[in-house]
Amino acid sequence: MKAARGIGDEKSTLILIIVTVAIVLIGTIARFSGSSVQTTGWSFIQDGWQYRWGTSLLDSAGSPLWAKDLSDAGWHPMQFPGQPPGRKDEHTLWLKVDIPEKDYTNPTIFAKFVRQHFILYSNGQPVYQYGEQPDFANERYQPWFPAHFIFLPQDFRGGTLMFQINSPYSSIGIHSPLELDSFSRLFQNKLGDDMPKIITSAVMFFASIGATIIWLYSRERRYVFFSGYTLAVSMLNFSATLFKGYLLDFPTFWMYLVLSSIFLLQIFWLAFLQTMVDAVRRRYVRWILWLMIAILAMAQLSFSFDAASIGGIIATAFLAAIANYLLMWWALLPRLREDLSTQIYVAGATVWMCFYAGDALVLLNFPNIRVLHSPYGQFIDAIALAGILAIQFKTIKRENEQYALSITEKNVKLEHMQNQLHDW
């Protein structure tokens, strides 16, 4: 009978693991399947893009001749967004697209993931410039920030838009969909995209403060780890918003904050995990925790020396997250079927892994999607950790009440015995 029960437990455990992995895979695939749907109703400039490499000759006024040549001679079609082929050793990329005629109110272009410095021409006239051209002295690679609101002339009705982009790094071009609409609509759309991040950031910040206060009274380590996790989530979500640039126009700082937050939330999440396992597994989890700290610290140091290594750093963080996720299964599997806190922890981590896997692949230049959805997964995972702390608090409170009741009963018995002794 015992052997039969063991076989049944193994089968049910295997089924549980398969179902969980299926949830992660389905969630990640669904993340990409909505990429074409998300663009519905949005004014994306997607088709008709052309490119050419090289430095243009200048006219007598010092302006590039290619910027005013609106013909198709010398241009090649490309799949937008992304980096076109045939770069070789060129540091200058030209991108061109024709815009159909349309009436706009305050016509504005929203562009992000533009690498690196660029000038935008509208019908041959420069309308926007970011950075020096083509001076690369003391320039630092900026893979994500800043995003650009580019105001076109008020009389813009359509025509030819042309980007002259300069970058000495391996990545060059526009790596995210380009939007053209009225400024008010773009602003509202971006605010709508940022609102979940802003709300999550605020909630997680106050949750971190609350957990810290509770820790000062209880000295329970879980509250410290939860506080660190929620603070990291708060920093990551806020640094991923568009409007943070209005508070501080310092792209390099926000890049460091993003990477530091990604690393810290994994470290604190892993530290929280070690409080939920037995003494034997806790020792192994602690070893892995120190190993992860070393790996992620080296990744952060690598970014400090070479910002163009961001792709490898994101891949490292993603692989670390997968390793932590598998470690969680190994550490919590013996308790998974019977302990509610363990089930909540695994459920929260699985949801977060679904969203994080999709966003990590997006940032590694897989299908371009308008927004990143990790804030939802982080928020749900943080709620799961908060639920675990609530269960623990309720359990401790019940145990304290039972202990106090038992002490009271013993005191009553002792008093009764003293009275009998006194009577005797």
Side-chain angles (χ1 to χ4, degrees):
M1 292 298 292
K2 290 183 179 180
R5 190 183 301 114
I7 294 174
D9 290 344
E10 291 178 0
K11 287 184 178 179
S12 61
T13 300
L14 180 60
I15 292 174
L16 182 60
I17 294 176
I18 293 175
V19 170
T20 303
V21 173
I23 291 174
V24 175
L25 293 177
I26 293 172
T28 304
I29 294 173
R31 174 79 170 81
F32 291 119
S33 65
S35 58
S36 61
V37 178
Q38 290 186 24
T39 60
T40 303
W42 293 73
S43 302
F44 285 92
I45 308 173
Q46 188 71 27
D47 301 319
W49 284 87
Q50 296 176 300
Y51 77 94
R52 68 191 302 176
W53 296 99
T55 303
S56 171
L57 296 175
L58 305 179
D59 60 16
S60 58
S63 300
L65 294 176
W66 289 357
K68 299 181 179 180
D69 183 8
L70 305 184
S71 67
D72 291 335
W75 294 84
H76 310 280
M78 65 170 292
Q79 184 69 34
F80 185 85
Q83 181 172 311
R87 179 181 184 179
K88 298 181 181 179
D89 296 327
E90 293 290 348
H91 287 172
T92 303
L93 170 65
W94 294 76
L95 300 178
K96 182 181 76 166
V97 65
D98 293 328
I99 306 298
E101 289 192 7
K102 179 182 176 180
D103 290 332
Y104 294 95
T105 303
N106 297 324
T108 306
I109 287 179
F110 177 75
K112 59 181 180 179
F113 298 176
V114 183
R115 301 165 184 167
Q116 183 97 10
H117 294 175
F118 68 94
I119 300 175
L120 173 61
Y121 300 90
S122 173
N123 296 319
Q125 300 299 317
V127 294
Y128 183 84
Q129 178 170 336
Y130 171 72
E132 299 294 330
Q133 299 288 332
D135 184 13
F136 301 131
N138 299 321
E139 180 183 15
R140 186 168 180 81
Y141 180 60
Q142 304 292 351
W144 299 336
F145 308 129
H148 307 272
F149 278 109
I150 304 173
F151 298 97
L152 299 177
Q154 289 294 327
D155 58 353
F156 178 82
R157 296 293 180 269
T160 301
L161 294 177
M162 194 178 302
F163 286 84
Q164 176 191 353
I165 306 175
N166 291 274
S167 174
Y169 297 100
S170 58
S171 181
I172 189 173
I174 303 175
H175 295 261
S176 180
L178 208 67
E179 299 174 55
L180 169 61
D181 214 317
S182 65
F183 174 74
S184 60
R185 186 180 181 189
L186 282 176
F187 187 85
Q188 291 174 2
N189 290 340
K190 300 309 153 193
L191 183 60
D193 290 344
D194 277 355
M195 194 54 62
K197 301 175 186 177
I198 295 174
I199 294 174
T200 303
S201 179
V203 171
M204 292 295 98
F205 178 75
F206 287 110
S208 176
I209 294 177
T212 302
I213 294 175
I214 295 175
W215 171 78
L216 292 175
Y217 284 95
S218 67
R219 297 298 177 178
E220 174 61 42
R221 289 186 304 163
R222 285 189 182 185
Y223 291 100
V224 176
F225 300 146
F226 178 77
S227 176
Y229 179 82
T230 50
L231 181 60
V233 171
S234 176
M235 293 190 303
L236 177 60
N237 280 273
F238 185 76
S239 59
T241 62
L242 171 67
F243 296 96
K244 55 145 182 340
Y246 290 95
L247 298 178
L248 180 62
D249 186 14
F250 193 2
T252 301
F253 168 79
W254 295 115
M255 272 300 308
Y256 274 108
L257 190 61
V258 166
L259 293 179
S260 300
S261 302
I262 291 175
F263 298 158
L264 287 175
L265 70 86
Q266 292 199 45
I267 290 172
F268 280 113
W269 181 85
L270 200 57
F272 193 97
L273 172 64
Q274 71 172 341
T275 67
M276 299 186 61
V277 298
D278 56 54
V280 175
R281 284 177 168 78
R282 185 179 302 126
R283 184 171 65 253
Y284 291 106
V285 172
R286 187 175 293 114
W287 289 348
I288 298 298
L289 172 60
W290 284 107
L291 177 62
M292 287 296 175
I293 291 175
I295 292 175
L296 297 177
M298 290 176 61
Q300 183 84 354
L301 190 63
S302 173
F303 178 76
S304 300
F305 285 99
D306 182 15
S309 63
I310 183 66
I313 294 173
I314 294 174
T316 300
F318 182 42
L319 293 176
I322 294 177
N324 292 340
Y325 185 71
L326 297 177
L327 176 66
M328 173 200 70
W329 275 100
W330 172 81
L332 297 180
L333 196 56
R335 304 173 53 186
L336 184 59
R337 299 184 61 197
E338 301 176 354
D339 184 55
L340 177 60
S341 296
T342 302
Q343 296 168 357
I344 293 175
Y345 190 89
V346 171
T350 299
V351 172
W352 174 75
M353 197 65 191
C354 288
F355 289 107
Y356 180 67
D359 286 355
L361 294 178
V362 168
L363 294 176
L364 289 171
N365 292 325
F366 276 71
N368 290 278
I369 299 180
R370 178 170 56 87
V371 293
L372 302 178
H373 291 190
S374 284
Y376 303 107
Q378 294 159 356
F379 186 68
I380 293 173
D381 192 28
I383 290 177
L385 299 188
I388 294 171
L389 292 177
I391 292 174
Q392 181 196 35
F393 178 79
K394 185 176 180 180
T395 301
I396 294 176
K397 182 179 179 181
R398 182 172 63 251
E399 292 175 351
N400 289 338
E401 291 175 349
Q402 292 175 350
Y403 178 74
L405 180 61
S406 65
I407 293 296
T408 302
E409 292 175 350
K410 290 180 180 179
N411 289 335
V412 171
K413 291 181 180 179
L414 180 60
E415 183 178 358
H416 179 66
M417 293 175 62
Q418 289 175 340
N419 291 334
Q420 287 182 331
L421 182 61
H422 182 268
D423 294 339
W424 179 79

